[in-house]
């Protein structure tokens, strides 16, 4: 019985082996037949080492590296069926180049760098289906290299292909420099513009050389930090408090890169220099990677960002910009409002806006078709430069990736959710009854609704309507007061935190003292306006007096109510002002912490904690705050 079982198993193994050989042969032949077909991601061998990156534009001697190396054998089909041929590694005669429709990466061995290019017309190539290998490499966006402990030039000593499939290429690259330990990194490419870089344990720091005019640290609750090199004429290095994402705006306004990374103890430093014309620019970005991966994506389009000098002649007039938006997106800029850098999203039409501190004014930025317009005023004055850029899509073509989409693709939605904090961007409601109550839920709106009742002489007949409107107004005031109390608690906790940090780290005291001086303005504003904001008892008395006028018809009712209206609005106006001031001060603190730590790397963790606390209290703002995302 056992012998029969053994014979059956032997035959089964023989049949399985036969099927396996046939399958391998079929797969091998199919792979060989595909080697000349256009793939989504292609690996090239330049044939000889590149002396200069300009040589990379000459493709005459380039050879495409096939996904299977059987094609190099005298009998490819036979080799595909023989396991002895499997596992062979490709040896580059020149430098390695990885290319897809969106980007190209040149592994420049002589200089120990990896140059990343963005294709000149990504949208066109995506639509037409143009294959990698056609035309120019594109615009060089940056050069990647390990940050060595030596000043000696480095080299790439080995490029090993870990995966070469039609839709994905993974390459392990070894770097070497005299006087420094050898180190490696794994580069992964797909069909889009994203490159994943996984440094080895020995590669503690990396350098991204990318001449840029601005660096942006997005803040989806609160305003972005925009770093301009011209503001740091005497500083050569900035320690930037970036959380998981950073955007570099390259010279020429046609290119930018997006860099993301997972949670950890990473630190981003920005190196500044002067260009040949003497203009202050960002030379490179040094990144302490904490042994974790980073993700890079290059985005290109004419006018993908824009700098507009805000001239004095822009005051109190509509100004059409020479710049036009290259595609639909949520374009935005920062302007000075109430003395604070404030984010304004470009609207689709001209209009006005009202806020608690500056009051009513012409909304400063909008589009008319593809044309951009500014209208600046004394409340939002022409001051410095305005940088126009986008992070999120808004009817954006599917062929164009946004920085937020790149974040989601590289970090995952679970990690991006607290960063983007969509729930925290929602305004809190003033509406006690939702859509059934007074739609303009504020002291002005509710008193206006009640005024119409008295003007019509219907205060007795519509007594219940007046009561409901008063309840709506009471709800509004209570929400205002609750919001103010949130800011007061925040300020108290922040002051204690800053003082404790100052005691523990005396070297940071100047930085911390400046922040404390800012946050102290919250209790100061409250103290100044406390009497004008009145008390719950005062509001209850106004309610009682207003309802008393509905008890009987009287020719003096309207006159008496109009006096009460003034009292209601005076109380509400003071509360509007304090809420808006608290918000403005907190956003100023959020910004000052981010900009104020750049000259001291030790201050960065404290700045990040301050900004995290600001971000938490800024969540779900009251509609009367100077909301930084109109």
């Amino acid at each position: 019985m056992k012998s029969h079982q053994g014979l059956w198993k032997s035959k089964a193994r023989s049949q399985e082996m036969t099927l396996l050989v046939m399958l391998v042969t079929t797969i091998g032949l199919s792979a060989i037949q595909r080697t000349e077909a256009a793939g989504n991601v292609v690996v090239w061998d330049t044939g000889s080492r590149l002396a200069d990156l300009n040589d990379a534009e000459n493709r005459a001697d380039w050879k495409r590296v096939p996904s299977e190396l059987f094609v190099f054998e005298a009998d490819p089909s036979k080799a595909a069926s023989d396991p002895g041929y499997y596992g062979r590694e490709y040896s580059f005669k020149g430098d390695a180049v990885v290319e897809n429709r969106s980007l190209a990466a040149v592994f420049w061995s002589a200089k120990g760098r990896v140059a990343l290019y963005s294709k000149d017309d990504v949208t066109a190539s995506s639509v037409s289906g143009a294959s990698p290998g056609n035309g120019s490499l594109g615009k060089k966006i940056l050069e990647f290299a390990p940050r060595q402990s030596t000043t000696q030039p480095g080299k790439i000593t080995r490029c090993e292909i870990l995966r070469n499939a039609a839709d994905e290429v993974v390459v392990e690259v070894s770097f070497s420099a005299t006087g420094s330990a050898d180190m490696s990194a794994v580069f992964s490419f797909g069909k889009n513009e994203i490159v994943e870089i996984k440094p080895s344990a020995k590669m503690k720091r990396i350098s991204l050389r990318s001449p840029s005019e601005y660096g942006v640290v997005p803040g989806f609750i609160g305003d972005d930090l925009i770093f301009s090199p011209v503001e740091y004429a005497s500083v050569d290095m900035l320690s930037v408090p970036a959380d998981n994402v950073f955007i570099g705006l390259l010279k020429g306004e046609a290119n930018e890169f997006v860099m993301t990374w997972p949670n950890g103890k990473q630190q981003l430093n920005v190196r500044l220099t002067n260009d040949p014309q003497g203009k202050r620019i960002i030379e490179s970005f040094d990144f302490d990677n904490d042994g974790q991966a980073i993700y890079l994506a290059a985005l290109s389009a004419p006018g993908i960002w824009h700098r507009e000098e805000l001239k004095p002649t822009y005051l109190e007039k509509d100004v059409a910009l020479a710049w036009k938006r290259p595609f639909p997106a949520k374009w935005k800029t920062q302007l000075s409002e109430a003395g604070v850098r404030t984010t304004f999203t470009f609207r689709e039409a001209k209009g006005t806006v009202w806020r608690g501190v500056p009051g009513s004014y012409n909304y400063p930025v909008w589009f008319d078709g593809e044309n951009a317009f500014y209208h600046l005023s004394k409340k939002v004055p022409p001051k410095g430069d305005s940088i126009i850029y986008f992070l999120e899509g808004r009817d954006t073509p599917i062929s164009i990736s946004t920085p937020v989409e790149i974040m989601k693709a590289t970090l995952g939605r679970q990690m991006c959710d607290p960063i983007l904090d969509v729930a925290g961007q929602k305004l809190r409601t003033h509406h006690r009854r939702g859509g059934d109550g007074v739609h303009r839920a504020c002291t002005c709106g509710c008193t206006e609704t009640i005024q119409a009742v008295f003007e019509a002489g219907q205060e007795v007949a519509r007594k219940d309507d007046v009561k409901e409107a008063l309840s709506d107004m009471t709800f509004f005031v209570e929400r205002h007061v609750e919001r103010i109390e949130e800011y007061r608690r925040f300020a108290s906790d922040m002051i204690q935190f800053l003082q404790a940090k100052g005691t523990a780290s005396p070297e940071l005291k100047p930085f911390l003292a400046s922040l404390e001086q800012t946050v102290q303005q919250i209790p100061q504003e409250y103290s100044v306006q406390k009497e004008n904001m009145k008390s719950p008892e005062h509001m209850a008395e106004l309610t009682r007096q207003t309802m008393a006028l509905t008890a009987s018809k009287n020719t003096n009712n309207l006159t008496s109510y109009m006096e009460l209206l003034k009292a209601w609005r005076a109380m509400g106006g003071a509360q509007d002002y304090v809420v808006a001031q608290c918000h403005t001060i907190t956003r100023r603190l959020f910004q000052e912490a981010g900009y104020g730590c750049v000259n001291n790397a030790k201050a960065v963790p404290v700045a990040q904690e301050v900004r995290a606390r600001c971000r938490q209290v800024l969540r779900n703002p009251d509609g009367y705050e100077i909301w930084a995302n109109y």
Side-chain angles (χ1 to χ4, degrees):
M1 183 69 177
K2 289 183 179 179
S3 62
H4 287 299
Q5 288 178 342
L7 179 61
W8 180 83
K9 289 182 178 180
S10 177
K11 288 181 179 179
R13 290 194 190 99
S14 178
Q15 291 173 352
E16 288 175 358
M17 183 60 68
T18 301
L19 290 172
L20 179 60
V21 170
M22 292 174 63
L23 179 61
V24 168
T25 302
T26 302
I27 293 172
L29 288 172
S30 177
I32 292 167
Q33 291 168 356
R34 292 197 306 266
T35 47
E36 298 304 321
N40 288 316
V41 195
V42 177
V43 182
W44 301 97
D45 186 337
T46 62
S48 60
R49 305 297 184 188
L50 300 173
D52 190 277
L53 284 178
N54 292 329
D55 298 337
E57 293 296 338
N58 182 5
R59 296 172 176 252
D61 297 326
W62 287 23
K63 302 293 183 183
R64 183 172 174 181
V65 180
S67 58
E68 298 291 352
L69 303 185
F70 305 131
V71 69
F72 296 128
E73 302 301 326
D75 189 343
S77 61
K78 180 179 179 181
S81 66
D82 187 342
Y85 286 90
Y86 281 75
R88 176 182 170 186
E89 294 185 8
Y90 183 81
S91 180
F92 286 91
K93 294 180 175 59
D95 285 334
V97 178
V98 178
E99 184 181 19
N100 64 22
R101 290 172 174 79
S102 301
L103 61 83
V106 177
F107 295 83
W108 191 13
S109 58
K111 296 297 183 181
R113 303 175 190 170
V114 181
L116 185 64
Y117 293 77
S118 178
K119 295 297 182 67
D120 292 329
D121 195 350
V122 175
T123 304
S125 66
S126 299
V127 173
S128 66
S131 301
N134 297 338
S136 169
L137 289 176
K139 168 71 174 179
K140 188 177 73 170
I141 302 299
L142 57 83
E143 294 179 9
F144 168 96
R147 190 75 187 171
Q148 307 279 11
S149 58
T150 176
T151 58
Q152 296 298 316
K155 293 183 178 181
I156 292 177
T157 56
R158 177 179 170 81
C159 278
E160 179 183 354
I161 299 175
L162 302 183
R163 179 175 174 81
N164 183 10
D167 290 344
E168 183 182 31
V169 167
V170 182
V171 181
E172 185 171 13
V173 182
S174 298
F175 298 86
S176 178
T178 303
S180 181
D182 292 354
M183 55 191 71
S184 64
V186 175
F187 294 75
S188 299
F189 304 85
K191 295 183 290 185
N192 56 24
E193 60 276 287
I194 298 171
V195 181
E196 178 184 10
I197 305 174
K198 292 182 179 178
S200 65
K202 293 181 180 179
M203 191 180 292
K204 304 294 185 182
R205 302 182 70 193
I206 63 174
S207 175
L208 302 175
R209 185 179 180 87
S210 181
S212 305
E213 292 195 52
Y214 296 92
V216 180
V217 176
F220 298 96
I221 300 292
D223 304 276
D224 303 335
L225 297 178
I226 302 177
F227 291 95
S228 171
V230 298
E231 296 180 8
Y232 303 94
S234 60
V235 179
D236 294 329
M237 176 79 81
L238 304 179
S239 297
V240 176
D243 296 318
N244 306 107
V245 60
F246 182 84
I247 297 169
L249 306 180
L250 276 64
K251 295 177 65 176
E253 301 188 2
N255 301 278
E256 64 183 53
F257 73 85
V258 182
M259 177 181 176
T260 67
W261 58 91
N263 290 328
K265 298 180 180 179
Q266 297 90 337
Q267 175 58 51
L268 178 64
N269 296 298
V270 177
R271 290 185 177 271
L272 310 179
T273 190
N274 293 329
D275 68 8
Q277 290 73 41
K279 182 180 178 181
R280 199 73 169 153
I281 64 166
I282 297 174
E283 178 185 46
S284 62
F285 305 86
D286 293 349
F287 189 67
D288 297 345
N289 52 274
D290 193 33
Q292 300 196 65
I294 66 166
Y295 302 89
L296 296 171
L299 304 179
S300 298
I304 199 168
W305 70 272
H306 174 68
R307 180 189 70 86
E308 183 72 18
E309 181 185 356
L310 302 181
K311 302 174 183 178
T313 55
Y314 285 18
L315 185 65
E316 300 296 354
K317 65 176 67 172
D318 293 354
V319 178
L321 276 60
W323 175 83
K324 300 178 186 296
R325 59 179 172 185
F327 48 79
K330 188 177 179 180
W331 296 94
K332 61 181 181 177
T333 191
Q334 286 187 6
L335 303 169
S336 177
E337 180 191 54
V340 179
R341 303 187 200 199
T342 300
T343 301
F344 291 87
T345 299
F346 277 76
R347 289 181 173 178
E348 291 301 320
K350 184 178 179 181
T352 60
V353 67
W354 186 93
R355 286 296 179 255
V357 174
S360 181
Y361 58 86
N362 288 295
Y363 193 81
V365 292
W366 71 93
F367 287 118
D368 183 357
E370 306 309 312
N371 300 308
F373 285 84
Y374 281 37
H375 187 109
L376 303 177
S377 61
K378 292 180 180 179
K379 295 178 179 180
V380 183
K383 180 180 179 182
D385 293 334
S386 167
I387 310 303
I388 303 173
Y389 60 103
F390 76 105
L391 296 178
E392 302 172 75
R394 179 177 286 172
D395 294 326
T396 305
I398 194 170
S399 58
I400 297 173
S401 297
T402 69
V404 165
E405 289 171 338
I406 290 167
M407 285 176 58
K408 292 177 180 178
T410 55
L411 302 179
R413 287 183 177 272
Q414 184 173 358
M415 182 176 172
C416 285
D417 282 349
I419 299 173
L420 300 173
D421 198 2
V422 174
Q425 295 182 41
K426 185 179 186 299
L427 295 176
R428 63 186 62 199
T429 185
H430 294 138
H431 297 77
R432 180 179 67 94
R433 295 179 287 162
D436 295 331
V438 176
H439 289 186
R440 188 169 169 238
C442 57
T443 50
C444 290
C446 290
T447 53
E448 188 177 81
T449 297
I450 298 172
Q451 178 182 344
V453 174
F454 277 90
E455 287 177 337
Q458 298 178 341
E459 61 269 24
V460 176
R462 297 178 60 188
K463 179 177 182 178
D464 290 342
D465 292 339
V466 173
K467 183 178 180 180
E468 289 294 331
L470 286 169
S471 296
D472 288 343
M473 185 158 50
T474 298
F475 182 84
F476 168 81
V477 170
E478 289 172 347
R479 298 292 82 75
H480 251 26
V481 172
E482 287 177 2
R483 185 59 170 153
I484 293 168
E485 290 303 310
E486 285 183 31
Y487 277 115
R488 292 183 67 203
R489 289 192 297 271
F490 159 78
S492 177
D493 292 343
M494 180 63 74
I495 291 168
Q496 292 182 30
F497 169 77
L498 294 173
Q499 291 176 346
K501 285 293 181 181
T503 301
S505 304
E507 70 277 12
L508 299 181
K509 274 192 173 182
F511 168 64
L512 298 171
S514 176
L515 298 182
E516 183 179 345
Q517 185 176 7
T518 297
V519 75
Q520 287 279 10
Q521 295 174 28
I522 290 177
Q524 291 169 4
E525 288 289 351
Y526 176 83
S527 178
V528 169
Q529 293 293 331
K530 183 177 180 180
E531 176 59 31
N532 295 328
M533 289 190 293
K534 303 302 180 181
S535 65
E537 291 76 19
H538 177 77
M539 181 173 62
E541 178 59 22
L542 291 179
T543 300
R544 187 195 65 78
Q545 292 182 31
T546 304
M547 286 303 301
L549 297 176
T550 66
S552 60
K553 182 66 177 171
N554 190 302
T555 56
N556 293 326
N557 279 354
L558 177 60
T559 302
S560 299
Y561 171 73
M562 295 304 293
E563 290 300 315
L564 292 171
L565 177 147
K566 293 178 184 178
W568 275 110
R569 292 186 178 182
M571 176 184 66
Q575 293 167 354
D576 293 346
Y577 177 83
V578 173
V579 167
Q581 282 286 32
C582 288
H583 185 89
T584 302
I585 293 164
T586 302
R587 284 200 298 110
R588 182 186 292 120
L589 179 67
F590 184 71
Q591 295 173 20
E592 289 177 354
Y595 291 117
C597 69
V598 295
N599 295 324
N600 188 342
K602 292 182 179 180
V604 171
V606 179
Q608 289 175 319
E609 174 63 22
V610 170
R611 285 167 56 79
R613 293 182 178 219
C614 291
R615 191 181 296 115
Q616 184 61 34
V617 77
L618 289 171
R619 297 182 78 251
N620 304 122
D622 183 296
Y624 280 74
E625 301 175 32
I626 301 181
W627 175 224
N629 191 15
Y630 295 142

